[in-house]
Amino acid sequence: EFPWLADLEAGADAIRAELGPLLGEFPSLPRVADIERTGDYEVEGWRAFFLRFAGRSVPAHAQRFPRTCALLERVPGLYFALFSILVGPSHIPEHRGYTKCLLRGHLPLHVPRRPEDCRFRVAGETRHWHRDRAFVFDDTQPHEVWHDGDEPRVLLMFDFHRPMPAPPPPVAGRALLRGHP
């Protein structure tokens, strides 16, 4: 359904090359709890680095990650993008996104060697991330994460506008278009 995911997957090595120096800055990166301030994400080992927020790029970050941002520009309706870095042991409690207007994508860039060390449950189904294999889900469905290992899990996480078919014109509008009363 999302042919542009293949472009992101094919660009994963380039993204990782730009990402390398950022991983050394982990302790100074903002905690997701400090950004969200909802109380739902009090996870000490979860950090974020934004590339796009509320539909706008972060210019200094775009300059630092030009290839990553160029690949993200291929995502139609891109609204939000960040590097999500999680170290274990951690648990991100069950939570839900706030709007059906967006879908969420994950491109796993670094995953623990043992897949069972880091897992993700959405809408009752538990999965493991696989390096360079992107996927999309509706984050308004309940989801949570467990990380039991000691290697970081790093995702390129992004939200984009949900593709929707154009609504049919109202019945009255269709009648007027056909010339009927």
Side-chain angles (χ1 to χ4, degrees):
E1 292 183 46
F2 308 104
W4 44 265
L5 278 179
D7 291 339
L8 284 177
E9 291 172 339
D13 285 337
I15 295 169
R16 256 189 302 279
E18 290 182 335
L19 174 66
L22 181 70
L23 296 179
E25 299 170 27
F26 180 83
S28 65
L29 295 176
R31 293 178 330 131
V32 172
D34 296 333
I35 298 165
E36 289 288 332
R37 301 209 186 271
T38 64
D40 295 338
Y41 307 109
E42 288 295 329
V43 179
E44 183 58 38
W46 190 19
R47 306 298 167 93
F49 186 87
F50 283 87
L51 299 167
R52 182 177 290 258
F53 190 81
R56 296 190 176 152
S57 70
V58 179
H61 297 179
Q63 289 175 353
R64 186 172 174 186
F65 297 91
R67 291 180 286 177
T68 301
C69 290
L71 286 163
L72 284 166
E73 289 301 321
R74 298 177 186 175
V75 178
L78 182 66
Y79 184 72
F80 163 93
L82 62 84
F83 289 116
S84 170
I85 306 166
L86 183 66
V87 297
S90 294
H91 174 239
I92 301 171
E94 182 178 287
H95 58 286
R96 294 172 178 242
Y98 57 89
T99 179
K100 287 249 184 213
C101 293
L102 299 171
L103 291 174
R104 171 145 304 158
H106 284 179
L107 175 62
L109 299 165
H110 293 282
V111 295
R113 283 175 296 223
R114 294 171 14 115
E116 61 273 14
D117 283 349
C118 198
R119 58 202 178 281
F120 174 77
R121 183 186 57 78
V122 63
E125 184 179 334
T126 301
R127 295 183 176 202
H128 305 283
W129 286 278
H130 298 280
R131 181 177 151 139
D132 302 346
R133 288 186 36 206
F135 64 93
V136 171
F137 67 100
D138 176 353
D139 90 326
T140 64
Q141 296 296 313
H143 56 284
E144 67 184 305
V145 173
W146 297 267
H147 187 346
D148 302 323
D150 56 5
E151 300 167 89
R153 184 237 49 194
V154 182
L155 307 174
L156 178 60
M157 183 187 301
F158 52 95
D159 286 358
F160 59 98
H161 292 279
R162 181 187 294 263
M164 296 185 173
V171 174
R174 286 195 304 262
L176 286 173
L177 290 172
R178 288 192 307 251
H180 298 289

